Amino acid sequence: MNAADALPSPTPRGSRKRVVLLGATGSIGQNALRVIASHADRLELVGVAAHSNWRGLAEIAREHGVRDAAVFDPGAFADARDSGSFPEGTRLLQGAAGLTELSTLPKADVVLVAVVGTAGLEPALAAIDAGKDLALASKEILVLAGKFIMEAARRRGTRILPIDSEHNAVFQCLEGHPGAGVRRIVLTASGGAFRDWPAEKLRHATPADALKHPNWSMGRKITVDCATLANKGLELIEAQWLFGLKPSQCTAVIHPQSLVHCLVEFNDGAMLAQLAPSSMVFPIQHALLYPDRAGGVEPPIDFTRLVRFDFSPVDMGRYPMMRLATESMTAGGVAPAVFNAANEVAVEAFLGGRIPFLAIPRIVGNALGRTSNFEPGSLADVLAADKEARRGAEADAVSFK
Ligand code: NDP
Ligand code: MG
């Protein structure tokens, strides 16, 4: 199902939507909890999952009265089970199977996948198969397997509600407009932590520098992706799948204020933009309450004060990861999966102090250079390409020591 196609909500009006939240202890997870708590008359949290932060998860389960929880990491799961911290009667699940069980809970209406990286793929596919609405923050899984996720959603008639702010913005602009009338979409990028740095200084950039995002407060991996602009590259690929667009229709522009999240240009040249403060509570609320609207958790943009909107083209020389992402998107096949896998490895190595900042695009470029691209016939093909790319990128990262 194309994300822009409006389907009737499976939840009868007036009753509460029951939400499963994968990645509850993360940045998106915390914002989602604020939205759910602010709209307790419309939303109910029924399942939560995290990787290893079981203490945080137990606190969430207690606060929200959640009785189904999953911890991915086996050691953390054992600690959680023995801790007695979860409310009496909580069903505690483990590992990938636990996440998948949560995302198919019979009582759930919508599954919000906000797990960093690609671990959310299987649970997302299971949620689709079970006919749940999928509120999707984890862009990596669409980049890895967009073709198969969208096919499954189409087959099952499942609705995908984008949470990534730019895609949620496009979704809002497209409501009521058939995708055929769209000439192109323009996603905005803040330019990240190094937007105003002289290029020669970048070789000394540290993880602490890269984690100082000018506008958004987010998890570590995505914040580094913003500094390289890999994030915007991943988002272009994400948009291609979500909205059924050609690579040439997905473009980006630098907009330092992060107040306009997208521009949709129609065939007649008219453009629609979507505006909101740079806080994820706006797209999360839109996706969880869709198609309804309700009062916001935070105030809107205040036009009684001077508000500026600047836009400038992306300098591909300054942001080689954007060039590599665009080339991968245009090449198609397994190239986007290779781009994503090598980027995940390289960002982790950079955050671990194992490689310099400028090695990220080199590792990703090398991974793409080593790949003989092909059109994947199955999910297994993509997962094999992902694994191979990770292996190569790991070896490459070691050589930068
Ligand atoms: P964070 O690093 O803040 O949080 C990641 C969350 O995922 C944590 O709850 C973590 O648990 C959990 N997690 C990681 N691996 C697993 C696993 N294998 N099984 C279960 N849970 C797991 O990330 P963000 O919230 O920033 O990002 C989440 C996703 O949303 C990413 O894909 C990102 O690209 C996307 N996104 C984020 C935005 C943002 O504003 N933050 C904006 C748009 C998209 P634990 O705490 O135990 O480690
Ligand atoms: Mg985004």
Side-chain angles (χ1 to χ4, degrees), residues 266-316:
F266 293 91
N267 283 339
D268 58 4
M271 284 182 156
L272 291 185
Q274 191 268 0
L275 285 72
S278 39
S279 162
M280 289 307 293
V281 294
F282 290 90
I284 292 170
Q285 170 162 330
H286 176 267
L288 289 182
L289 294 187
Y290 184 81
D292 295 340
R293 300 244 184 204
V297 175
E298 292 177 10
I301 298 169
D302 178 6
F303 285 104
T304 62
R305 299 192 325 206
L306 178 67
V307 183
R308 279 190 62 156
F309 300 115
D310 296 309
F311 299 94
S312 59
V314 177
D315 175 352
M316 293 285 195

Side-chain angles (χ1 to χ4, degrees), residues 76-160:
F77 169 79
D79 292 344
R81 192 191 45 204
D82 301 340
S83 69
S85 304
F86 283 80
E88 183 81 25
T90 301
R91 196 163 64 112
L92 200 56
L93 304 158
Q94 188 200 333
L99 262 66
T100 299
E101 189 158 348
L102 272 192
S103 59
T104 56
L105 274 184
K107 63 184 166 194
D109 300 304
V110 52
V111 178
L112 197 170
V113 179
V115 170
V116 71
T118 46
L121 176 59
E122 266 182 53
L125 284 169
I128 290 172
D129 274 347
K132 313 292 184 195
D133 273 0
L134 182 66
L136 190 57
S138 303
K139 62 193 79 185
E140 296 93 341
I141 68 174
L142 272 178
V143 173
L144 176 71
K147 176 178 165 180
F148 302 101
I149 292 173
M150 297 315 287
E151 265 175 22
R154 208 172 295 118
R155 212 173 36 240
R156 189 64 177 80
T158 306
R159 189 162 56 184
I160 298 186

Side-chain angles (χ1 to χ4, degrees), residues 23 25-28 50-53 72 114 119 137-138 140 164 218-219 280:
T25 50
S27 164
I28 290 281
H51 180 268
S52 44
N53 181 3
F72 185 88
S138 303
E140 296 93 341
D164 208 345
M218 306 181 285
M280 289 307 293

